[in-house]
Amino acid sequence: MSAPSTEYSVRALHGIPEVRPGDDLVKLIAAAGPELEDGDVLVVTSKIVSKAEGRIVRADDREAAIDAEAVRLVARRGPTRIVETRHGLVMAAAGVDASNTEPGTVLLLPEDPDASARALRAGLREALGVEVGVVVTDTFGRPWRNGLTDVGIGAAGVRVLDDLRGTTDVHGTPLGVTVVATADELAAAGELVKGKADGLPVAVVRGLPHVVTEEDGPGARALVRDASQDMFRLGTSEAIREAVTQRRTVREFTGEPVDGAAVRRAVAAAVTAPAPHHTTPWRFVLLESAGIRVRLLDAMRAAWVRDLRELSGFSEESIARRVRRGDVLYRAPYLVVPCLETSGAHEYPDAGRNAAEREMFVVAMGAGVQNLLVALAAEGLGSAWVSSTMFCREVVREVLDLPAGWDPMGTVAVGHAAAPPKQRPARQAGAFIEVR
């Protein structure tokens, strides 16, 4: 690889006519740039690639085209959709664009931008005898930043990422995380001279031969961060939806310890639930000590077995089967006991109203626990809400030394799932809706 240059030039390529479906881009670019040299980088807007490839649909089919090009919805605000495309790109409207195209039509992104870049590179090699790099670009908005910029969505013969990890800076400090998105920087540089309104869809970057490679390389696909490494993969609406839909009861956990700070963050989400009379009726007892967990569960099991024998008349086999259902709490590395505290409830002269008053608080408790479960899922933790403490509240209060006014409302087992939860049939919302 040649040494990095300390200066380079960028110029727009003049003379490329309006591109139409079926046009030969290699011929059009070669005619406009016969002076191209080895080591140049051609920065080509995806619009002319899409036009030449016939990626044009009627404007009234735009929403359907977005649906077809998208693999997931990341975020939505009003009619604006941020989606992930088939290419792995996260962008507005899947790149379906009405700019620089005939009225009444919209353009889709190229079918395979990396393949398009490879074809252009090979064609120019044959037509002009030069070894150039090619970057196919499109315009992106960016999280946390105003304004748009061009990025590379296709590439060939370009070092799309320059990995500087393991090298040192001028002070000798090792670089541990620096990986430069060279293709995106080339795309942005080219956009400064191309311009959307000037009919100049191609730029030439000269003076950076070290970024041009002999092989076509992995293409711009290498710029797409793997989902497992993407800390910001989810948009706001998708994050909420994902956490809710991915919240499943987990009954088998690994031995990995649970971060108490993550549970506390989940509790912070839990106590934002609505509650009657501006009260805060939730209390969450966090059982972080293995000793206290076992002591509580042993006492609860003894009380449960006693009740099943003396009050319910179950057989020993039936009792053993029922008791085994509570083993999930023993297997969990962390337990949370949600408690209902109703000191803020109103007192009424009749039992019916008082019962309704308590029901309001119980509903608020359910909302708080649901917030907790969803927030735990968002933290990457599995959970199971087990009702057991509700059937032996006095035992729980005694073992955990809880105030008399705290009513345990089950136990939440928390941990890292040993396996993905089993998929269940999707529940159709319409089956649970009545409209009057």
mmCIF file of all heavy atoms in Angstrom, residues 259-283:
data_model
loop_
_atom_site.group_PDB
_atom_site.id
_atom_site.type_symbol
_atom_site.label_atom_id
_atom_site.label_comp_id
_atom_site.label_asym_id
_atom_site.label_seq_id
_atom_site.Cartn_x
_atom_site.Cartn_y
_atom_site.Cartn_z
ATOM 1 N N ASP A 259 -26.752 -7.882 37.161
ATOM 2 C CA ASP A 259 -26.291 -6.552 37.555
ATOM 3 C C ASP A 259 -27.412 -5.844 38.323
ATOM 4 O O ASP A 259 -28.466 -5.531 37.764
ATOM 5 C CB ASP A 259 -25.911 -5.761 36.297
ATOM 6 C CG ASP A 259 -25.422 -4.360 36.621
ATOM 7 O OD1 ASP A 259 -25.233 -4.040 37.809
ATOM 8 O OD2 ASP A 259 -25.251 -3.569 35.661
ATOM 9 N N GLY A 260 -27.175 -5.611 39.597
ATOM 10 C CA GLY A 260 -28.200 -4.947 40.404
ATOM 11 C C GLY A 260 -28.559 -3.574 39.892
ATOM 12 O O GLY A 260 -29.705 -3.122 40.042
ATOM 13 N N ALA A 261 -27.597 -2.890 39.268
ATOM 14 C CA ALA A 261 -27.891 -1.558 38.732
ATOM 15 C C ALA A 261 -28.928 -1.639 37.610
ATOM 16 O O ALA A 261 -29.773 -0.756 37.473
ATOM 17 C CB ALA A 261 -26.607 -0.903 38.223
ATOM 18 N N ALA A 262 -28.859 -2.718 36.813
ATOM 19 C CA ALA A 262 -29.852 -2.893 35.743
ATOM 20 C C ALA A 262 -31.240 -3.098 36.325
ATOM 21 O O ALA A 262 -32.234 -2.571 35.806
ATOM 22 C CB ALA A 262 -29.458 -4.081 34.862
ATOM 23 N N VAL A 263 -31.323 -3.858 37.415
ATOM 24 C CA VAL A 263 -32.624 -4.068 38.054
ATOM 25 C C VAL A 263 -33.148 -2.755 38.626
ATOM 26 O O VAL A 263 -34.340 -2.441 38.512
ATOM 27 C CB VAL A 263 -32.526 -5.139 39.150
ATOM 28 C CG1 VAL A 263 -33.869 -5.320 39.853
ATOM 29 C CG2 VAL A 263 -32.061 -6.466 38.558
ATOM 30 N N ARG A 264 -32.276 -1.971 39.208
ATOM 31 C CA ARG A 264 -32.708 -0.675 39.754
ATOM 32 C C ARG A 264 -33.200 0.255 38.649
ATOM 33 O O ARG A 264 -34.138 1.036 38.843
ATOM 34 C CB ARG A 264 -31.571 -0.039 40.546
ATOM 35 C CG ARG A 264 -31.341 -0.721 41.892
ATOM 36 C CD ARG A 264 -30.010 -0.302 42.532
ATOM 37 N NE ARG A 264 -29.883 -0.820 43.877
ATOM 38 C CZ ARG A 264 -29.569 -2.075 44.178
ATOM 39 N NH1 ARG A 264 -29.336 -2.944 43.201
ATOM 40 N NH2 ARG A 264 -29.474 -2.478 45.425
ATOM 41 N N ARG A 265 -32.571 0.186 37.478
ATOM 42 C CA ARG A 265 -33.077 0.997 36.359
ATOM 43 C C ARG A 265 -34.461 0.513 35.946
ATOM 44 O O ARG A 265 -35.326 1.309 35.572
ATOM 45 C CB ARG A 265 -32.102 0.912 35.182
ATOM 46 C CG ARG A 265 -30.791 1.657 35.409
ATOM 47 C CD ARG A 265 -30.002 1.821 34.123
ATOM 48 N NE ARG A 265 -29.526 0.562 33.579
ATOM 49 C CZ ARG A 265 -28.349 0.009 33.875
ATOM 50 N NH1 ARG A 265 -27.538 0.606 34.741
ATOM 51 N NH2 ARG A 265 -27.974 -1.128 33.314
ATOM 52 N N ALA A 266 -34.670 -0.795 35.995
ATOM 53 C CA ALA A 266 -35.990 -1.332 35.661
ATOM 54 C C ALA A 266 -37.028 -0.896 36.692
ATOM 55 O O ALA A 266 -38.177 -0.586 36.350
ATOM 56 C CB ALA A 266 -35.930 -2.854 35.565
ATOM 57 N N VAL A 267 -36.647 -0.860 37.954
ATOM 58 C CA VAL A 267 -37.566 -0.376 38.990
ATOM 59 C C VAL A 267 -37.898 1.090 38.761
ATOM 60 O O VAL A 267 -39.047 1.529 38.939
ATOM 61 C CB VAL A 267 -36.962 -0.599 40.391
ATOM 62 C CG1 VAL A 267 -37.804 0.102 41.462
ATOM 63 C CG2 VAL A 267 -36.862 -2.092 40.696
ATOM 64 N N ALA A 268 -36.904 1.867 38.324
ATOM 65 C CA ALA A 268 -37.166 3.280 38.034
ATOM 66 C C ALA A 268 -38.222 3.427 36.948
ATOM 67 O O ALA A 268 -39.041 4.355 36.973
ATOM 68 C CB ALA A 268 -35.871 3.977 37.613
ATOM 69 N N ALA A 269 -38.230 2.502 35.973
ATOM 70 C CA ALA A 269 -39.274 2.510 34.946
ATOM 71 C C ALA A 269 -40.601 2.046 35.531
ATOM 72 O O ALA A 269 -41.673 2.549 35.175
ATOM 73 C CB ALA A 269 -38.869 1.615 33.777
ATOM 74 N N ALA A 270 -40.538 1.078 36.451
ATOM 75 C CA ALA A 270 -41.768 0.526 37.036
ATOM 76 C C ALA A 270 -42.562 1.600 37.768
ATOM 77 O O ALA A 270 -43.794 1.656 37.680
ATOM 78 C CB ALA A 270 -41.416 -0.616 37.982
ATOM 79 N N VAL A 271 -41.890 2.478 38.491
ATOM 80 C CA VAL A 271 -42.602 3.446 39.327
ATOM 81 C C VAL A 271 -43.096 4.655 38.548
ATOM 82 O O VAL A 271 -43.603 5.606 39.145
ATOM 83 C CB VAL A 271 -41.736 3.885 40.525
ATOM 84 C CG1 VAL A 271 -41.395 2.688 41.390
ATOM 85 C CG2 VAL A 271 -40.454 4.591 40.064
ATOM 86 N N THR A 272 -42.969 4.622 37.227
ATOM 87 C CA THR A 272 -43.606 5.661 36.404
ATOM 88 C C THR A 272 -45.019 5.268 36.009
ATOM 89 O O THR A 272 -45.702 6.029 35.319
ATOM 90 C CB THR A 272 -42.795 5.918 35.123
ATOM 91 O OG1 THR A 272 -42.813 4.744 34.302
ATOM 92 C CG2 THR A 272 -41.356 6.306 35.436
ATOM 93 N N ALA A 273 -45.473 4.092 36.428
ATOM 94 C CA ALA A 273 -46.822 3.628 36.069
ATOM 95 C C ALA A 273 -47.879 4.538 36.694
ATOM 96 O O ALA A 273 -47.642 5.169 37.729
ATOM 97 C CB ALA A 273 -47.016 2.186 36.537
ATOM 98 N N PRO A 274 -49.081 4.584 36.102
ATOM 99 C CA PRO A 274 -50.156 5.399 36.678
ATOM 100 C C PRO A 274 -50.680 4.767 37.963
ATOM 101 O O PRO A 274 -50.638 3.545 38.136
ATOM 102 C CB PRO A 274 -51.228 5.391 35.588
ATOM 103 C CG PRO A 274 -50.971 4.138 34.812
ATOM 104 C CD PRO A 274 -49.494 3.933 34.845
ATOM 105 N N ALA A 275 -51.165 5.612 38.870
ATOM 106 C CA ALA A 275 -51.709 5.130 40.137
ATOM 107 C C ALA A 275 -52.816 6.075 40.593
ATOM 108 O O ALA A 275 -52.815 7.259 40.241
ATOM 109 C CB ALA A 275 -50.615 5.045 41.196
ATOM 110 N N PRO A 276 -53.760 5.579 41.386
ATOM 111 C CA PRO A 276 -54.883 6.421 41.812
ATOM 112 C C PRO A 276 -54.480 7.465 42.850
ATOM 113 O O PRO A 276 -53.556 7.259 43.634
ATOM 114 C CB PRO A 276 -55.873 5.410 42.403
ATOM 115 C CG PRO A 276 -55.049 4.221 42.768
ATOM 116 C CD PRO A 276 -53.906 4.181 41.817
ATOM 117 N N HIS A 277 -55.188 8.595 42.814
ATOM 118 C CA HIS A 277 -55.071 9.648 43.831
ATOM 119 C C HIS A 277 -53.651 10.193 43.969
ATOM 120 O O HIS A 277 -53.250 10.615 45.055
ATOM 121 C CB HIS A 277 -55.541 9.139 45.208
ATOM 122 C CG HIS A 277 -56.824 8.377 45.189
ATOM 123 N ND1 HIS A 277 -57.929 8.797 44.473
ATOM 124 C CD2 HIS A 277 -57.196 7.218 45.804
ATOM 125 C CE1 HIS A 277 -58.924 7.937 44.641
ATOM 126 N NE2 HIS A 277 -58.503 6.960 45.436
ATOM 127 N N HIS A 278 -52.872 10.167 42.884
ATOM 128 C CA HIS A 278 -51.497 10.684 42.918
ATOM 129 C C HIS A 278 -50.641 9.960 43.959
ATOM 130 O O HIS A 278 -49.735 10.542 44.560
ATOM 131 C CB HIS A 278 -51.484 12.188 43.193
ATOM 132 C CG HIS A 278 -52.319 12.985 42.250
ATOM 133 N ND1 HIS A 278 -51.982 13.181 40.927
ATOM 134 C CD2 HIS A 278 -53.518 13.603 42.423
ATOM 135 C CE1 HIS A 278 -52.917 13.897 40.328
ATOM 136 N NE2 HIS A 278 -53.864 14.159 41.208
ATOM 137 N N THR A 279 -50.934 8.684 44.185
ATOM 138 C CA THR A 279 -50.163 7.904 45.150
ATOM 139 C C THR A 279 -49.015 7.173 44.470
ATOM 140 O O THR A 279 -48.894 7.164 43.243
ATOM 141 C CB THR A 279 -51.073 6.870 45.850
ATOM 142 O OG1 THR A 279 -51.628 5.996 44.845
ATOM 143 C CG2 THR A 279 -52.200 7.552 46.611
ATOM 144 N N THR A 280 -48.191 6.567 45.299
ATOM 145 C CA THR A 280 -47.086 5.723 44.796
ATOM 146 C C THR A 280 -47.186 4.385 45.515
ATOM 147 O O THR A 280 -46.461 4.139 46.487
ATOM 148 C CB THR A 280 -45.731 6.396 45.067
ATOM 149 O OG1 THR A 280 -45.643 6.711 46.466
ATOM 150 C CG2 THR A 280 -45.585 7.666 44.253
ATOM 151 N N PRO A 281 -48.055 3.498 45.054
ATOM 152 C CA PRO A 281 -48.376 2.291 45.814
ATOM 153 C C PRO A 281 -47.444 1.112 45.592
ATOM 154 O O PRO A 281 -47.776 -0.010 45.983
ATOM 155 C CB PRO A 281 -49.781 1.952 45.311
ATOM 156 C CG PRO A 281 -49.780 2.395 43.887
ATOM 157 C CD PRO A 281 -48.914 3.637 43.865
ATOM 158 N N TRP A 282 -46.277 1.338 44.968
ATOM 159 C CA TRP A 282 -45.394 0.211 44.665
ATOM 160 C C TRP A 282 -44.212 0.193 45.619
ATOM 161 O O TRP A 282 -43.643 1.229 45.940
ATOM 162 C CB TRP A 282 -44.838 0.313 43.243
ATOM 163 C CG TRP A 282 -45.821 0.808 42.229
ATOM 164 C CD1 TRP A 282 -46.728 0.063 41.538
ATOM 165 C CD2 TRP A 282 -45.985 2.150 41.787
ATOM 166 N NE1 TRP A 282 -47.451 0.866 40.692
ATOM 167 C CE2 TRP A 282 -47.020 2.150 40.824
ATOM 168 C CE3 TRP A 282 -45.380 3.351 42.121
ATOM 169 C CZ2 TRP A 282 -47.444 3.308 40.181
ATOM 170 C CZ3 TRP A 282 -45.804 4.507 41.487
ATOM 171 C CH2 TRP A 282 -46.823 4.475 40.532
ATOM 172 N N ARG A 283 -43.834 -0.988 46.024
ATOM 173 C CA ARG A 283 -42.583 -1.193 46.749
ATOM 174 C C ARG A 283 -41.927 -2.432 46.138
ATOM 175 O O ARG A 283 -42.611 -3.426 45.875
ATOM 176 C CB ARG A 283 -42.820 -1.407 48.243
ATOM 177 C CG ARG A 283 -43.588 -0.288 48.931
ATOM 178 C CD ARG A 283 -42.793 1.018 48.987
ATOM 179 N NE ARG A 283 -43.507 2.041 49.742
ATOM 180 C CZ ARG A 283 -44.353 2.920 49.207
ATOM 181 N NH1 ARG A 283 -44.618 2.871 47.911
ATOM 182 N NH2 ARG A 283 -44.937 3.837 49.956
#
